[in-house]
mmCIF file of all heavy atoms in Angstrom:
data_model
loop_
_atom_site.group_PDB
_atom_site.id
_atom_site.type_symbol
_atom_site.label_atom_id
_atom_site.label_comp_id
_atom_site.label_asym_id
_atom_site.label_seq_id
_atom_site.Cartn_x
_atom_site.Cartn_y
_atom_site.Cartn_z
ATOM 1 N N ARG D 1 1.282 15.667 12.414
ATOM 2 C CA ARG D 1 0.517 14.519 12.883
ATOM 3 C C ARG D 1 0.687 13.358 11.918
ATOM 4 O O ARG D 1 0.077 13.389 10.838
ATOM 5 C CB ARG D 1 -0.965 14.889 13.008
ATOM 6 C CG ARG D 1 -1.250 15.977 14.010
ATOM 7 C CD ARG D 1 -2.707 16.366 14.034
ATOM 8 N NE ARG D 1 -3.565 15.240 14.397
ATOM 9 C CZ ARG D 1 -4.896 15.294 14.302
ATOM 10 N NH1 ARG D 1 -5.492 16.374 13.836
ATOM 11 N NH2 ARG D 1 -5.626 14.260 14.648
ATOM 12 N N PRO D 2 1.455 12.354 12.264
ATOM 13 C CA PRO D 2 2.289 12.239 13.461
ATOM 14 C C PRO D 2 3.544 13.099 13.339
ATOM 15 O O PRO D 2 3.918 13.495 12.235
ATOM 16 C CB PRO D 2 2.648 10.758 13.501
ATOM 17 C CG PRO D 2 2.652 10.350 12.055
ATOM 18 C CD PRO D 2 1.577 11.155 11.400
ATOM 19 N N LYS D 3 4.181 13.379 14.464
ATOM 20 C CA LYS D 3 5.355 14.252 14.484
ATOM 21 C C LYS D 3 6.569 13.532 13.895
ATOM 22 O O LYS D 3 7.079 12.575 14.470
ATOM 23 C CB LYS D 3 5.639 14.719 15.915
ATOM 24 C CG LYS D 3 4.646 15.743 16.434
ATOM 25 C CD LYS D 3 5.038 16.236 17.817
ATOM 26 C CE LYS D 3 4.172 17.421 18.235
ATOM 27 N NZ LYS D 3 2.752 17.066 18.352
ATOM 28 N N LEU D 4 7.018 14.013 12.735
ATOM 29 C CA LEU D 4 8.162 13.444 12.028
ATOM 30 C C LEU D 4 8.933 14.563 11.350
ATOM 31 O O LEU D 4 8.332 15.546 10.890
ATOM 32 C CB LEU D 4 7.694 12.461 10.949
ATOM 33 C CG LEU D 4 7.422 11.018 11.349
ATOM 34 C CD1 LEU D 4 6.724 10.297 10.197
ATOM 35 C CD2 LEU D 4 8.704 10.296 11.707
ATOM 36 N N ALA D 5 10.237 14.400 11.274
ATOM 37 C CA ALA D 5 11.073 15.407 10.604
ATOM 38 C C ALA D 5 11.905 14.761 9.502
ATOM 39 O O ALA D 5 12.276 13.585 9.587
ATOM 40 C CB ALA D 5 11.991 16.091 11.612
ATOM 41 N N ASN D 6 12.162 15.549 8.458
ATOM 42 C CA ASN D 6 13.120 15.197 7.408
ATOM 43 C C ASN D 6 12.759 13.946 6.608
ATOM 44 O O ASN D 6 13.647 13.251 6.096
ATOM 45 C CB ASN D 6 14.528 15.060 8.007
ATOM 46 C CG ASN D 6 14.977 16.332 8.685
ATOM 47 O OD1 ASN D 6 14.795 17.428 8.161
ATOM 48 N ND2 ASN D 6 15.533 16.211 9.878
ATOM 49 N N ILE D 7 11.467 13.659 6.502
ATOM 50 C CA ILE D 7 11.022 12.572 5.640
ATOM 51 C C ILE D 7 11.234 12.989 4.183
ATOM 52 O O ILE D 7 10.931 14.117 3.794
ATOM 53 C CB ILE D 7 9.527 12.264 5.895
ATOM 54 C CG1 ILE D 7 9.329 11.698 7.301
ATOM 55 C CG2 ILE D 7 8.982 11.302 4.849
ATOM 56 C CD1 ILE D 7 10.057 10.414 7.566
ATOM 57 N N THR D 8 11.762 12.088 3.365
ATOM 58 C CA THR D 8 11.991 12.423 1.958
ATOM 59 C C THR D 8 11.049 11.677 1.016
ATOM 60 O O THR D 8 10.920 12.050 -0.154
ATOM 61 C CB THR D 8 13.443 12.126 1.546
ATOM 62 O OG1 THR D 8 13.710 10.727 1.713
ATOM 63 C CG2 THR D 8 14.417 12.936 2.376
ATOM 64 N N GLN D 9 10.400 10.609 1.514
ATOM 65 C CA GLN D 9 9.446 9.879 0.671
ATOM 66 C C GLN D 9 8.308 9.324 1.526
ATOM 67 O O GLN D 9 8.537 8.731 2.573
ATOM 68 C CB GLN D 9 10.118 8.727 -0.078
ATOM 69 C CG GLN D 9 9.176 7.932 -0.967
ATOM 70 C CD GLN D 9 9.898 7.012 -1.930
ATOM 71 O OE1 GLN D 9 9.907 7.245 -3.127
ATOM 72 N NE2 GLN D 9 10.511 5.953 -1.421
ATOM 73 N N LEU D 10 7.076 9.535 1.048
ATOM 74 C CA LEU D 10 5.899 8.963 1.696
ATOM 75 C C LEU D 10 5.401 7.798 0.857
ATOM 76 O O LEU D 10 5.203 7.927 -0.358
ATOM 77 C CB LEU D 10 4.801 10.018 1.845
ATOM 78 C CG LEU D 10 5.043 11.051 2.937
ATOM 79 C CD1 LEU D 10 4.093 12.231 2.774
ATOM 80 C CD2 LEU D 10 4.874 10.436 4.322
ATOM 81 N N VAL D 11 5.201 6.660 1.511
ATOM 82 C CA VAL D 11 4.719 5.451 0.837
ATOM 83 C C VAL D 11 3.271 5.243 1.257
ATOM 84 O O VAL D 11 2.987 4.895 2.405
ATOM 85 C CB VAL D 11 5.577 4.221 1.216
ATOM 86 C CG1 VAL D 11 5.097 2.987 0.465
ATOM 87 C CG2 VAL D 11 7.052 4.492 0.927
ATOM 88 N N PHE D 12 2.353 5.486 0.333
ATOM 89 C CA PHE D 12 0.923 5.373 0.628
ATOM 90 C C PHE D 12 0.431 3.991 0.226
ATOM 91 O O PHE D 12 0.467 3.623 -0.946
ATOM 92 C CB PHE D 12 0.140 6.451 -0.117
ATOM 93 C CG PHE D 12 0.542 7.848 0.272
ATOM 94 C CD1 PHE D 12 1.222 8.666 -0.615
ATOM 95 C CD2 PHE D 12 0.248 8.343 1.531
ATOM 96 C CE1 PHE D 12 1.598 9.950 -0.262
ATOM 97 C CE2 PHE D 12 0.626 9.635 1.896
ATOM 98 C CZ PHE D 12 1.294 10.442 1.002
ATOM 99 N N VAL D 13 0.000 3.217 1.224
ATOM 100 C CA VAL D 13 -0.423 1.846 0.987
ATOM 101 C C VAL D 13 -1.951 1.787 0.970
ATOM 102 O O VAL D 13 -2.616 2.241 1.902
ATOM 103 C CB VAL D 13 0.117 0.899 2.076
ATOM 104 C CG1 VAL D 13 -0.259 -0.550 1.759
ATOM 105 C CG2 VAL D 13 1.631 1.034 2.200
ATOM 106 N N ILE D 14 -2.491 1.246 -0.119
ATOM 107 C CA ILE D 14 -3.933 1.013 -0.199
ATOM 108 C C ILE D 14 -4.166 -0.456 -0.507
ATOM 109 O O ILE D 14 -3.300 -1.138 -1.058
ATOM 110 C CB ILE D 14 -4.612 1.896 -1.270
ATOM 111 C CG1 ILE D 14 -4.058 1.594 -2.666
ATOM 112 C CG2 ILE D 14 -4.458 3.374 -0.943
ATOM 113 C CD1 ILE D 14 -4.812 2.296 -3.788
ATOM 114 N N SER D 15 -5.337 -0.963 -0.138
ATOM 115 C CA SER D 15 -5.681 -2.350 -0.434
ATOM 116 C C SER D 15 -6.919 -2.380 -1.313
ATOM 117 O O SER D 15 -7.671 -1.403 -1.391
ATOM 118 C CB SER D 15 -5.930 -3.136 0.857
ATOM 119 O OG SER D 15 -7.034 -2.593 1.555
ATOM 120 N N LYS D 16 -7.117 -3.486 -1.989
ATOM 121 C CA LYS D 16 -8.238 -3.615 -2.903
ATOM 122 C C LYS D 16 -9.565 -3.621 -2.170
ATOM 123 O O LYS D 16 -10.550 -3.022 -2.601
ATOM 124 C CB LYS D 16 -8.078 -4.887 -3.724
ATOM 125 C CG LYS D 16 -9.059 -4.990 -4.873
ATOM 126 C CD LYS D 16 -8.809 -6.241 -5.680
ATOM 127 C CE LYS D 16 -7.412 -6.246 -6.258
ATOM 128 N NZ LYS D 16 -7.196 -7.422 -7.118
ATOM 129 N N LYS D 17 -9.607 -4.304 -1.038
ATOM 130 C CA LYS D 17 -10.805 -4.321 -0.199
ATOM 131 C C LYS D 17 -10.401 -4.787 1.188
ATOM 132 O O LYS D 17 -9.298 -5.262 1.408
ATOM 133 C CB LYS D 17 -11.890 -5.238 -0.774
ATOM 134 C CG LYS D 17 -11.510 -6.707 -0.876
ATOM 135 C CD LYS D 17 -12.686 -7.513 -1.440
ATOM 136 C CE LYS D 17 -12.361 -9.001 -1.474
ATOM 137 N NZ LYS D 17 -13.483 -9.796 -2.003
ATOM 138 N N ASP D 18 -11.336 -4.620 2.131
ATOM 139 C CA ASP D 18 -11.062 -5.022 3.530
ATOM 140 C C ASP D 18 -9.797 -4.374 4.080
ATOM 141 O O ASP D 18 -8.880 -5.065 4.507
ATOM 142 C CB ASP D 18 -10.955 -6.542 3.672
ATOM 143 C CG ASP D 18 -12.257 -7.252 3.328
ATOM 144 O OD1 ASP D 18 -13.297 -6.578 3.225
ATOM 145 O OD2 ASP D 18 -12.218 -8.478 3.174
ATOM 146 N N PRO D 19 -9.650 -3.058 4.187
ATOM 147 C CA PRO D 19 -10.653 -2.039 3.825
ATOM 148 C C PRO D 19 -10.524 -1.607 2.376
ATOM 149 O O PRO D 19 -9.461 -1.727 1.766
ATOM 150 C CB PRO D 19 -10.284 -0.884 4.756
ATOM 151 C CG PRO D 19 -8.804 -1.011 4.893
ATOM 152 C CD PRO D 19 -8.491 -2.484 4.878
ATOM 153 N N LYS D 20 -11.613 -1.090 1.824
ATOM 154 C CA LYS D 20 -11.602 -0.582 0.454
ATOM 155 C C LYS D 20 -10.748 0.683 0.387
ATOM 156 O O LYS D 20 -10.627 1.413 1.367
ATOM 157 C CB LYS D 20 -13.039 -0.279 -0.005
ATOM 158 C CG LYS D 20 -13.898 -1.510 -0.164
ATOM 159 C CD LYS D 20 -15.193 -1.190 -0.892
ATOM 160 C CE LYS D 20 -14.924 -0.893 -2.344
ATOM 161 N NZ LYS D 20 -16.188 -0.717 -3.123
ATOM 162 N N PRO D 21 -10.149 0.965 -0.770
ATOM 163 C CA PRO D 21 -9.296 2.150 -0.882
ATOM 164 C C PRO D 21 -10.083 3.441 -0.712
ATOM 165 O O PRO D 21 -11.141 3.623 -1.321
ATOM 166 C CB PRO D 21 -8.717 2.028 -2.292
ATOM 167 C CG PRO D 21 -9.618 1.100 -3.032
ATOM 168 C CD PRO D 21 -10.165 0.160 -2.007
ATOM 169 N N ASP D 22 -9.561 4.329 0.115
ATOM 170 C CA ASP D 22 -10.151 5.645 0.327
ATOM 171 C C ASP D 22 -9.371 6.619 -0.558
ATOM 172 O O ASP D 22 -8.383 7.215 -0.142
ATOM 173 C CB ASP D 22 -10.046 6.038 1.805
ATOM 174 C CG ASP D 22 -10.775 7.331 2.123
ATOM 175 O OD1 ASP D 22 -11.052 8.099 1.172
ATOM 176 O OD2 ASP D 22 -11.049 7.592 3.310
ATOM 177 N N LEU D 23 -9.838 6.794 -1.796
ATOM 178 C CA LEU D 23 -9.092 7.587 -2.768
ATOM 179 C C LEU D 23 -9.148 9.079 -2.467
ATOM 180 O O LEU D 23 -8.217 9.816 -2.815
ATOM 181 C CB LEU D 23 -9.603 7.302 -4.180
ATOM 182 C CG LEU D 23 -9.461 5.850 -4.658
ATOM 183 C CD1 LEU D 23 -9.906 5.716 -6.099
ATOM 184 C CD2 LEU D 23 -8.033 5.344 -4.482
ATOM 185 N N LEU D 24 -10.213 9.553 -1.834
ATOM 186 C CA LEU D 24 -10.285 10.960 -1.446
ATOM 187 C C LEU D 24 -9.204 11.275 -0.415
ATOM 188 O O LEU D 24 -8.499 12.287 -0.524
ATOM 189 C CB LEU D 24 -11.662 11.293 -0.875
ATOM 190 C CG LEU D 24 -11.851 12.744 -0.385
ATOM 191 C CD1 LEU D 24 -11.598 13.735 -1.517
ATOM 192 C CD2 LEU D 24 -13.252 12.927 0.204
ATOM 193 N N MET D 25 -9.035 10.396 0.577
ATOM 194 C CA MET D 25 -7.982 10.563 1.572
ATOM 195 C C MET D 25 -6.610 10.516 0.910
ATOM 196 O O MET D 25 -5.726 11.327 1.196
ATOM 197 C CB MET D 25 -8.091 9.483 2.645
ATOM 198 C CG MET D 25 -7.013 9.537 3.709
ATOM 199 S SD MET D 25 -7.228 10.927 4.818
ATOM 200 C CE MET D 25 -8.567 10.297 5.849
ATOM 201 N N LEU D 26 -6.447 9.573 -0.007
ATOM 202 C CA LEU D 26 -5.169 9.445 -0.714
ATOM 203 C C LEU D 26 -4.860 10.716 -1.503
ATOM 204 O O LEU D 26 -3.729 11.218 -1.471
ATOM 205 C CB LEU D 26 -5.206 8.238 -1.650
ATOM 206 C CG LEU D 26 -3.979 8.028 -2.547
ATOM 207 C CD1 LEU D 26 -2.716 7.813 -1.717
ATOM 208 C CD2 LEU D 26 -4.202 6.847 -3.495
ATOM 209 N N ASP D 27 -5.856 11.266 -2.195
ATOM 210 C CA ASP D 27 -5.643 12.477 -2.992
ATOM 211 C C ASP D 27 -5.230 13.660 -2.111
ATOM 212 O O ASP D 27 -4.364 14.466 -2.486
ATOM 213 C CB ASP D 27 -6.918 12.837 -3.762
ATOM 214 C CG ASP D 27 -7.190 11.879 -4.909
ATOM 215 O OD1 ASP D 27 -6.286 11.088 -5.255
ATOM 216 O OD2 ASP D 27 -8.311 11.902 -5.455
ATOM 217 N N LYS D 28 -5.839 13.787 -0.944
ATOM 218 C CA LYS D 28 -5.483 14.871 -0.027
ATOM 219 C C LYS D 28 -4.031 14.740 0.416
ATOM 220 O O LYS D 28 -3.286 15.731 0.467
ATOM 221 C CB LYS D 28 -6.399 14.850 1.200
ATOM 222 C CG LYS D 28 -7.822 15.300 0.939
ATOM 223 C CD LYS D 28 -8.629 15.236 2.220
ATOM 224 C CE LYS D 28 -10.060 15.702 2.008
ATOM 225 N NZ LYS D 28 -10.851 15.645 3.264
ATOM 226 N N GLN D 29 -3.630 13.530 0.713
ATOM 227 C CA GLN D 29 -2.264 13.314 1.176
ATOM 228 C C GLN D 29 -1.241 13.531 0.057
ATOM 229 O O GLN D 29 -0.171 14.109 0.279
ATOM 230 C CB GLN D 29 -2.129 11.905 1.749
ATOM 231 C CG GLN D 29 -2.973 11.715 2.999
ATOM 232 C CD GLN D 29 -2.788 10.342 3.588
ATOM 233 O OE1 GLN D 29 -1.844 10.099 4.318
ATOM 234 N NE2 GLN D 29 -3.682 9.436 3.269
ATOM 235 N N LEU D 30 -1.575 13.096 -1.141
ATOM 236 C CA LEU D 30 -0.683 13.309 -2.279
ATOM 237 C C LEU D 30 -0.504 14.804 -2.549
ATOM 238 O O LEU D 30 0.608 15.267 -2.828
ATOM 239 C CB LEU D 30 -1.248 12.622 -3.531
ATOM 240 C CG LEU D 30 -1.186 11.098 -3.551
ATOM 241 C CD1 LEU D 30 -1.987 10.559 -4.732
ATOM 242 C CD2 LEU D 30 0.250 10.597 -3.618
ATOM 243 N N ALA D 31 -1.600 15.553 -2.448
ATOM 244 C CA ALA D 31 -1.542 16.994 -2.692
ATOM 245 C C ALA D 31 -0.650 17.687 -1.669
ATOM 246 O O ALA D 31 0.166 18.557 -2.023
ATOM 247 C CB ALA D 31 -2.949 17.590 -2.657
ATOM 248 N N PHE D 32 -0.771 17.295 -0.404
ATOM 249 C CA PHE D 32 0.035 17.950 0.613
ATOM 250 C C PHE D 32 1.493 17.515 0.547
ATOM 251 O O PHE D 32 2.401 18.305 0.843
ATOM 252 C CB PHE D 32 -0.532 17.710 2.008
ATOM 253 C CG PHE D 32 -0.193 18.813 2.959
ATOM 254 C CD1 PHE D 32 -0.895 19.999 2.942
ATOM 255 C CD2 PHE D 32 0.866 18.692 3.846
ATOM 256 C CE1 PHE D 32 -0.568 21.040 3.797
ATOM 257 C CE2 PHE D 32 1.202 19.721 4.710
ATOM 258 C CZ PHE D 32 0.474 20.903 4.686
ATOM 259 N N ALA D 33 1.731 16.272 0.144
ATOM 260 C CA ALA D 33 3.105 15.816 -0.060
ATOM 261 C C ALA D 33 3.771 16.650 -1.155
ATOM 262 O O ALA D 33 4.942 17.035 -1.044
ATOM 263 C CB ALA D 33 3.130 14.339 -0.431
ATOM 264 N N GLU D 34 3.016 16.965 -2.213
ATOM 265 C CA GLU D 34 3.532 17.837 -3.273
ATOM 266 C C GLU D 34 3.854 19.223 -2.712
ATOM 267 O O GLU D 34 4.880 19.820 -3.039
ATOM 268 C CB GLU D 34 2.490 17.966 -4.394
ATOM 269 C CG GLU D 34 2.233 16.687 -5.168
ATOM 270 C CD GLU D 34 3.316 16.380 -6.188
ATOM 271 O OE1 GLU D 34 4.162 17.263 -6.434
ATOM 272 O OE2 GLU D 34 3.318 15.251 -6.722
ATOM 273 N N PHE D 35 2.977 19.727 -1.873
ATOM 274 C CA PHE D 35 3.172 21.049 -1.276
ATOM 275 C C PHE D 35 4.450 21.105 -0.441
ATOM 276 O O PHE D 35 5.182 22.091 -0.457
ATOM 277 C CB PHE D 35 1.961 21.388 -0.414
ATOM 278 C CG PHE D 35 2.100 22.664 0.376
ATOM 279 C CD1 PHE D 35 2.033 23.895 -0.247
ATOM 280 C CD2 PHE D 35 2.317 22.621 1.744
ATOM 281 C CE1 PHE D 35 2.178 25.076 0.474
ATOM 282 C CE2 PHE D 35 2.455 23.795 2.477
ATOM 283 C CZ PHE D 35 2.385 25.023 1.835
ATOM 284 N N LEU D 36 4.727 20.009 0.277
ATOM 285 C CA LEU D 36 5.913 19.960 1.138
ATOM 286 C C LEU D 36 7.180 19.578 0.381
ATOM 287 O O LEU D 36 8.275 19.665 0.924
ATOM 288 C CB LEU D 36 5.688 18.953 2.276
ATOM 289 C CG LEU D 36 4.651 19.323 3.330
ATOM 290 C CD1 LEU D 36 4.439 18.156 4.294
ATOM 291 C CD2 LEU D 36 5.070 20.566 4.095
ATOM 292 N N GLY D 37 7.022 19.147 -0.869
ATOM 293 C CA GLY D 37 8.188 18.734 -1.642
ATOM 294 C C GLY D 37 8.672 17.342 -1.284
ATOM 295 O O GLY D 37 9.861 17.038 -1.421
ATOM 296 N N ILE D 38 7.757 16.476 -0.811
ATOM 297 C CA ILE D 38 8.109 15.100 -0.454
ATOM 298 C C ILE D 38 7.706 14.173 -1.593
ATOM 299 O O ILE D 38 6.585 14.256 -2.111
ATOM 300 C CB ILE D 38 7.401 14.658 0.843
ATOM 301 C CG1 ILE D 38 7.714 15.620 1.986
ATOM 302 C CG2 ILE D 38 7.809 13.238 1.223
ATOM 303 C CD1 ILE D 38 6.940 15.323 3.255
ATOM 304 N N LYS D 39 8.594 13.286 -1.985
ATOM 305 C CA LYS D 39 8.304 12.313 -3.036
ATOM 306 C C LYS D 39 7.232 11.344 -2.551
ATOM 307 O O LYS D 39 7.202 10.964 -1.381
ATOM 308 C CB LYS D 39 9.583 11.555 -3.403
ATOM 309 C CG LYS D 39 9.435 10.564 -4.546
ATOM 310 C CD LYS D 39 10.771 9.907 -4.849
ATOM 311 C CE LYS D 39 10.634 8.780 -5.872
ATOM 312 N NZ LYS D 39 10.136 9.257 -7.172
#
């Protein structure tokens, strides 16, 4: 979700405000990217 194959790098974009950064969401995604071996 979303359906994607063979991604080698995930670029996580956060903003300072409007909307404020959701660091808990970011941490979850970083952890799973590590699990999958994606930069």
